Amino acid sequence: MSVLGHLLDGFAHALTLQNLLLGLLGVTVGTLVGVLPGLGPATTIALLLPLTMVFDPVGAFVMFAGIYYGGMYGGSTTAILLNIPGETASIPTTLEGYPMARKGRAGAALATAAIGSFVAGTISTVVITFLAPGMSAIAKSIQPAEYFSIMVLAFVTVTSLMGDSIVRGLSSLFLGLAIGMVGIDQMTGQPRLAFGVPDLYEGLPVVALAVGLFAVAEAVATAAQRNRQEQPPVKVTGRIGMTRDDWRRSWRPWLRGTAFGLPIGSLPAGGAELPTFLSYNVEKRLAKDPEEFGHGAIEGVAGPEAANNAAFSGVLVPLLTLGIPTSATASMLLIAFQIYNVQPGPQLFDQQPVLVWTLIASLYIGNVMLLVLNLPLIRLWVKLLSVPAALLTAAILTFATLGVYATSQSVFEILVAYGFGLVGFVLRRAGYPVAPLILGAVLGPLMEVQFRRALAFSEGDPAVFFTRPVSLAILVIAAVCLIGPVVLRRRGKISIPAAMD
């Protein structure tokens, strides 16, 4: 069957009444939670992850597609009105969106962010539709040595671009790898790092781990700031929309942002940070009035928001075709797949065609739903920004606790969630990024399996990673990505903001 035939079959499943309602529920709840201060897409998905477990896999992933896009859309609202980026990739939006809001142009900033995200999301989904099956076919020929090298590249790039210290990023990554090794060894059957605790023989529960590191840690961080004066959101006055001049100044940045975000996000070592900052810098260089940047240039909102959304859509390519998440948000999606015993990778399109094509079709539908919902309901979402910090903290902890218990009926997993919530809070306060930790914990076991398979095929010769040309080339790129930022930082050429997720 052709790609279009598979896509039409996916739409046939996605457009059923049940799946449409699940998609609508997903985008609504995802936006609602994503709008709350400090909750980025990864935290939103971690908090709502247990909700999907009561549905069949297809319905769950339709809902997840809505939560995924809704969480991304909601983050731009806090960046523009509160000057609080939910993650590193949203920082460029705050640089221009918040000054626009203070000038009384919050409606235009929110509109260009929403429409730009829709444009980028639609274009990206079209590309994913035709690119992913081909990537999946190519991935079938990749050997364990190449898989291991690709995972190393993903680890290195996420670590080197997250935060202002590579040492802290690597420390967070190695902690995540150690967490991923807890449990029964998949090849020898021996328990590791379980310390005689039977509950740890199957490894640390990934749902509890994700909810703890993101949702519980966010609640603790919010509670720890209770003595600080809360910043009121900028009021949205006037019409929610764009003038003719706003459209003229925004449509090219939308397309350029998409052109930056999609290919970089689609790489196994992609992510949203690089394309959003790159888009912002390009728009500043191309602007007729560069001095307006920093004081509310609409191009500085349109381009990065499009790049951000396109990159987030692009991460689905390595996730679906290689089973490799390249961001904290993608790691949450991989956890969702693992909950249903579905392993993304080269065989996914052959083994789960209904699920994967319904998921892709639901991305189209969810994108339209979000545009229809967001613009008319912006004033309603804005009211959520006034939620008292104490109430927000209590709500997050309540949902996190109920969600973890509902998935396992285990008090042990609740303790794990709260324990890693404290770990996540301490890491954030100390300036350590959390994204490499969750990536190491989720991807580490898969990386270990590929490493040991490669050694088994080569009869224990570690040179196999350097004698295979593709593997060697990827490892060289990984080395450049690790060393390059260190050299550039020391020369003062770049300054990467600290990770916020």
Side-chain angles (χ1 to χ4, degrees):
M1 187 182 295
S2 65
V3 171
L4 289 177
H6 282 299
L7 182 60
L8 290 175
D9 188 51
F11 272 110
H13 289 88
L15 290 173
T16 61
L17 179 60
Q18 176 182 337
N19 287 337
L20 280 175
L21 292 176
L22 288 175
L24 180 61
L25 177 63
V27 298
T28 304
V29 176
T31 305
L32 187 150
V33 178
V35 164
L36 296 174
L39 301 183
T43 307
T44 301
I45 292 178
L47 186 61
L48 301 177
L49 182 64
L51 292 180
T52 63
M53 298 191 65
V54 299
F55 305 109
D56 64 276
V58 174
F61 280 98
V62 168
M63 184 177 176
F64 236 102
I67 293 173
Y68 181 62
Y69 270 166
M72 289 189 292
Y73 271 64
S76 64
T77 304
T78 57
I80 291 170
L81 298 182
L82 280 178
N83 200 28
I84 299 177
E87 54 182 352
T88 312
S90 298
I91 291 177
T93 302
T94 66
L95 297 179
E96 304 302 327
Y98 188 65
M100 284 185 67
R102 290 181 64 87
K103 288 182 177 180
R105 304 203 65 226
L110 291 167
T112 193
I115 298 173
S117 296
F118 170 78
V119 171
T122 300
I123 295 175
S124 301
T125 307
V126 171
V127 174
I128 290 171
T129 302
F130 293 94
L131 177 64
M135 286 286 294
S136 178
I138 295 174
K140 293 177 182 177
S141 62
I142 297 178
Q143 298 299 314
E146 283 78 21
Y147 256 116
F148 171 79
S149 299
I150 291 172
M151 292 180 186
V152 170
L153 178 59
F155 283 147
V156 166
T157 51
V158 170
T159 300
S160 61
L161 292 177
M162 286 285 185
D164 55 2
S165 170
I166 290 182
V167 174
R168 291 179 179 178
L170 288 174
S171 300
S172 179
L173 173 64
F174 288 134
L175 177 58
L177 291 174
I179 291 171
M181 290 183 180
V182 175
I184 300 293
D185 187 320
Q186 297 184 35
M187 299 189 74
T188 66
Q190 298 296 317
R192 301 181 303 185
L193 302 177
F195 306 106
V197 180
D199 291 304
L200 293 178
Y201 287 164
E202 295 184 4
L204 284 165
V206 289
V207 174
L209 179 67
V211 171
L213 286 173
F214 289 97
V216 176
E218 181 61 40
V220 175
T222 301
Q225 298 174 358
R226 66 184 185 279
N227 293 327
R228 298 183 183 180
Q229 185 177 1
E230 295 183 18
Q231 180 179 357
V234 177
K235 293 184 178 180
V236 180
T237 58
R239 61 189 289 267
I240 304 295
M242 301 169 62
T243 64
R244 181 175 297 181
D245 183 62
D246 291 335
W247 281 93
R248 180 184 59 80
R249 295 176 58 180
S250 295
W251 72 270
R252 289 186 182 90
W254 290 337
L255 297 180
R256 283 193 290 261
T258 304
F260 286 127
L262 179 58
I264 295 176
S266 299
L267 295 174
E273 289 76 20
L274 180 59
T276 52
F277 282 96
L278 184 60
S279 173
Y280 181 81
N281 290 331
V282 167
E283 295 307 325
K284 187 174 182 178
R285 290 179 179 273
L286 295 178
K288 293 181 180 179
D289 185 12
E291 295 181 357
E292 186 182 359
F293 275 73
H295 304 283
I298 195 170
E299 295 90 343
V301 177
E305 275 299 307
N308 191 7
N309 197 283
F312 270 120
S313 301
V315 301
L316 293 176
V317 175
L319 177 64
L320 295 177
T321 61
L322 297 172
I324 297 177
T326 56
S327 67
T329 309
S331 298
M332 295 300 100
L333 293 177
L334 180 59
I335 290 174
F337 275 106
Q338 292 175 345
I339 289 174
Y340 286 96
N341 295 319
V342 176
Q343 179 58 51
Q347 304 299 325
L348 181 65
F349 282 79
D350 296 330
Q351 297 176 352
Q352 300 282 348
V354 174
L355 188 152
V356 71
W357 286 106
T358 303
L359 173 63
I360 292 175
S362 65
L363 293 177
Y364 288 97
I365 298 171
N367 217 17
V368 174
M369 285 181 175
L370 279 166
L371 184 65
V372 173
L373 279 175
N374 264 346
L375 291 179
L377 296 180
I378 279 178
R379 297 184 190 280
L380 175 62
W381 302 136
V382 169
K383 292 182 180 179
L384 294 175
L385 298 178
S386 301
V387 174
L391 182 59
L392 178 62
T393 301
I396 292 175
L397 291 177
T398 300
F399 280 112
T401 304
L402 292 177
V404 171
Y405 187 77
T407 61
S408 61
Q409 289 79 49
S410 170
V411 176
F412 174 77
E413 294 199 8
I414 294 177
L415 295 176
V416 169
Y418 276 82
F420 277 99
L422 294 177
V423 170
F425 169 72
V426 172
L427 289 176
R428 294 185 189 196
R429 291 295 291 265
Y432 287 80
V434 179
L437 191 156
I438 191 67
L439 192 65
V442 174
L443 199 57
L446 301 177
M447 176 180 168
E448 181 191 10
V449 169
Q450 297 299 338
F451 176 77
R452 294 170 75 172
R453 283 178 179 173
L455 290 180
F457 291 159
S458 64
E459 298 181 351
D461 184 6
V464 66
F465 301 105
F466 305 99
T467 56
R468 296 182 65 88
V470 175
S471 175
L472 176 61
I474 296 173
L475 290 176
V476 169
I477 295 173
V480 172
C481 292
L482 182 63
I483 299 172
V486 176
V487 175
L488 293 175
R489 282 190 179 104
R490 290 189 175 182
R491 292 184 177 182
K493 298 292 185 182
I494 61 172
S495 178
I496 306 271
M500 304 193 66
D501 63 344

